[in-house]
């Protein structure tokens, strides 16, 4: 009978241990200071020994949480730690949900765009700015149209002037290869 060592057993690489999630705060018996300043909602702040602080937290059926370890003596708060963590997570989620995600809308033109097309694109840009989007204006020079760089720059500046009450330019027209671009940000964020 052949016996294969460690057959069927999964092996972890040497030194690979599951990472423990380090606690943000020291709580209850994990607090190392001998004396602490205790604060809480139901009593006056005072300096006591760690034993008295733990007894006080136990009396209110709450946790003793070290909130300022650098202070002398460290500051500990009597609170419901799980509820505190839950509220912190909830706040972080709210902040993330409310964070403005800036989207850039692009409008493309040629250097010799006529007045009707110009006004049509200007109205679209106004709508985008009112909705809180940034607008990237781009004039593309095809073939020999590159000789009309001045017309492209004037067109972008005229466009920025038409959007004056809705947005402000982040940058002046810049030529990169065959494209001249300009970015306009909304003056007031609605989103």
């Amino acid at each position: 009978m052949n016996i294969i060592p460690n057959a069927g057993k999964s092996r972890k690489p040497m030194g690979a241990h599951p990472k423990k999630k380090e606690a943000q705060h020291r709580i209850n018996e994990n607090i190392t200071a001998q004396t602490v300043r205790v604060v809480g909602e139901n009593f006056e702040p005072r300096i006591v020994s760690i034993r008295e602080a733990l007894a006080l937290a136990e009396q209110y059926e709450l946790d003793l949480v070290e909130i300022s370890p650098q202070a002398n003596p460290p500051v500990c708060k009597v609170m419901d730690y799980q509820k505190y963590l839950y509220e912190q997570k909830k706040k972080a989620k709210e902040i993330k949900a409310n964070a403005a995600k800036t989207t850039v809308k692009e409008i493309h033109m040629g250097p010799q765009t006529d007045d009707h097309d110009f006004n049509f694109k200007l109205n679209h840009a106004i709508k985008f700015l009112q909705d809180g989007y940034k607008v990237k204006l781009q004039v593309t020079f095809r073939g020999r149209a590159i000789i009309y760089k001045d017309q492209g720059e004037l067109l972008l500046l005229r466009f920025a002037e038409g959007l004056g009450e809705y947005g402000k330019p982040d940058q002046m027209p810049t030529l990169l290869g065959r494209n001249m671009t300009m970015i306009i940000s909304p003056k007031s964020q609605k989103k």
Side-chain angles (χ1 to χ4, degrees):
M1 177 165 157
N2 291 339
I3 299 177
I4 302 170
N6 298 328
K9 292 183 182 177
S10 64
R11 295 181 62 193
K12 290 183 184 177
M14 295 289 282
H17 298 287
K19 289 186 179 179
K20 283 187 177 178
K21 196 172 184 181
E22 197 171 307
Q24 294 176 331
H25 303 94
R26 288 187 222 163
I27 60 169
N28 299 328
E29 286 78 28
N30 295 334
I31 300 171
T32 56
Q34 296 303 313
T35 59
V36 294
R37 180 180 308 271
V38 180
V39 296
E41 293 178 16
N42 301 329
F43 51 86
E44 289 291 316
R46 58 183 177 243
I47 297 175
V48 295
S49 71
I50 189 68
R51 271 196 189 143
E52 289 177 53
L54 287 169
L56 188 63
E58 197 173 306
Q59 176 186 340
Y60 287 103
E61 296 179 359
L62 296 170
D63 296 307
L64 184 67
V65 182
E66 188 177 50
I67 57 172
S68 183
Q70 287 79 22
N72 188 13
V75 179
C76 295
K77 186 171 185 179
V78 175
M79 68 169 115
D80 184 348
Y81 189 60
Q82 293 305 317
K83 183 178 177 183
Y84 171 76
L85 289 178
Y86 171 75
E87 287 171 358
Q88 291 297 314
K89 198 181 223 183
K90 192 174 170 183
K91 280 182 191 174
K93 195 174 182 180
E94 258 181 56
I95 289 170
K96 187 177 178 184
N98 293 336
K101 296 179 177 90
T102 31
T103 308
V104 178
K105 297 287 189 175
E106 292 189 20
I107 294 180
H108 297 269
M109 299 175 278
Q112 297 172 332
T113 301
D114 65 5
D115 287 339
H116 173 70
D117 287 342
F118 177 84
N119 291 330
F120 184 77
K121 291 176 189 269
L122 184 70
N123 288 334
H124 276 289
I126 288 170
K127 173 90 171 79
F128 293 148
L129 290 170
Q130 286 174 336
D131 289 344
Y133 297 108
K134 283 188 174 187
V135 176
K136 179 180 179 182
L137 306 169
Q138 182 169 322
V139 176
T140 305
F141 302 98
R142 300 184 197 283
R144 291 186 182 168
I146 196 75
I147 60 175
Y148 299 112
K149 286 187 283 194
D150 296 338
Q151 283 183 356
E153 187 172 357
L154 289 173
L155 183 69
L156 289 176
L157 292 172
R158 193 172 124 210
F159 215 100
E161 189 178 313
L163 296 173
E165 65 182 86
Y166 303 101
K168 58 186 181 310
D170 285 354
Q171 64 182 35
M172 295 315 285
T174 52
L175 182 67
L176 294 170
R178 293 191 165 272
N179 297 318
M180 186 175 285
T181 59
M182 184 164 132
I183 297 176
I184 298 182
S185 294
K187 280 191 175 172
S188 60
Q189 296 283 343
K190 269 190 175 180
K191 272 190 155 180

